[in-house]
Amino acid sequence: MSISLIIVEDLDEVREGLKNFLALSPEFVVLDTFKTAEEAIEAIPRLDADIVIMDINLPGINGIECIRQTAPKSRRTQYMMFTVYENDEKVFEALKAGASGYLLKNTGLVNIIEALKELNEGGSPMSSNIARKLVRSFQHQPSKNAAPVTTALSSRENEILDLLARGLLYKEIADQLTISTSTVRQHIHRIYEKLHVQNRTEAINKAFGQP
C-alpha cells in the first residue's frame, strides 16, 4: 500500500522537484502540494495524508505554526520538517509543535525516501547534525537519575541507541551492523519499551540527558 504525502513548500523548483522524484516510486503517492501554510491548513485535515513534508520558511504563516494548527485535527498524519534551518531554536520548536522527523534540504534523495518510510513505520528520522544537536542539548540538562538509564539495555541495544543518536536511519543502522532492517526495528521497539519512551527524541533525552 502506497504512503500518501502532502508537500508544503513555497519554492517552485524544490516543491515540483521533490514531487516528481517521489512520483517515480510506487511506494508513494503525492496527494497535493501547497505553496503557503494558509492553503495547507484548510487541506491537511481533509486529505488525511500519511505524511506532510513541511518547510519552515513559508510566506505568511510559517511551517511550524501550520503544524500547530493542523496536528490536532489530523492526528493520524505524521509531519516531516524539510528545511534549511538547523539552529537549536527551530529544531526544538518544530519537534514541540508536533513534527516527528527533521531533515535538512541538503539530504540526499535516497535518504529522503528511507526517512519517509521510516517515519511511516513509527520512527523519528532526522539529519545526523540535527541528532547531534539534540544529544549536546540533552547532555547539558541536569538529570535526577544517578546511574545512566542505558544500563537497562543490552550491549546490542546500546550500540543501536548510539547509532540512533548519531542520526542514522534504520537502513543505515542495518547496513552498518550487518543485520536486517526488521531486526533493527525490533531492537528499537525494545529500547523504547525499556526506556519508557515513544520516539528517537525522547530516547536520546533519556539516555544522554545525564549530569
Side-chain angles (χ1 to χ4, degrees), residues 6-177:
I6 293 171
I7 301 171
V8 186
E9 165 63 60
D10 64 314
L11 297 177
D12 294 342
E13 62 272 22
V14 176
R15 186 182 63 258
E16 293 304 312
L18 188 57
K19 175 186 175 181
N20 293 336
F21 172 70
L22 293 171
L24 296 174
S25 172
E27 295 178 283
F28 302 103
V29 56
V30 179
L31 299 179
D32 212 337
T33 66
F34 301 97
K35 297 179 67 171
T36 69
E38 285 82 352
E39 295 172 330
I41 287 170
E42 296 296 325
I44 288 173
R46 171 174 52 83
L47 293 173
D48 194 33
D50 294 314
I51 297 173
V52 175
I53 302 173
M54 180 74 69
D55 187 20
I56 290 180
N57 189 25
L58 298 169
I61 298 173
N62 67 32
I64 295 174
E65 181 59 30
C66 182
I67 294 176
R68 286 199 189 98
Q69 293 191 32
T70 57
K73 303 175 185 177
S74 51
R75 297 187 180 280
R76 190 184 73 84
T77 301
Q78 301 285 326
Y79 292 85
M80 172 75 80
M81 305 310 298
F82 188 60
T83 178
V84 297
Y85 291 110
E86 55 181 307
N87 59 303
D88 296 356
E89 180 183 353
K90 294 294 185 185
V91 173
F92 287 108
E93 191 179 358
L95 295 174
K96 185 176 179 181
S100 298
Y102 200 108
L103 294 181
L104 298 177
K105 287 186 176 178
N106 60 6
T107 302
L109 293 176
V110 172
N111 281 348
I112 291 174
I113 284 181
E114 290 301 324
L116 290 171
K117 289 161 61 177
E118 181 177 318
L119 180 61
N120 188 61
E121 293 167 358
S124 301
M126 58 188 67
S127 299
S128 57
N129 49 339
I130 298 300
R132 286 194 296 270
K133 283 177 178 291
L134 288 176
V135 171
R136 286 197 299 269
S137 172
F138 293 142
Q139 283 176 334
H140 287 88
Q141 292 182 6
S143 173
K144 296 179 181 179
N145 299 321
V149 295
T150 47
T151 55
L153 306 181
S154 68
S155 57
R156 175 61 95 184
E157 289 165 350
N158 270 301
E159 189 175 18
I160 290 175
L161 179 58
D162 181 63
L163 295 174
L164 275 177
R166 296 184 197 176
L168 271 67
L169 300 172
Y170 290 6
K171 185 178 186 303
E172 293 173 322
I173 294 174
D175 291 344
Q176 183 156 330
L177 299 180

Side-chain angles (χ1 to χ4, degrees), residues 173-191:
I173 294 174
D175 291 344
Q176 183 156 330
L177 299 180
T178 321
I179 57 178
S180 69
T181 306
S182 62
T183 300
V184 171
R185 290 194 198 99
Q186 291 170 9
H187 280 301
I188 291 172
H189 178 71
R190 285 195 292 270
I191 289 169

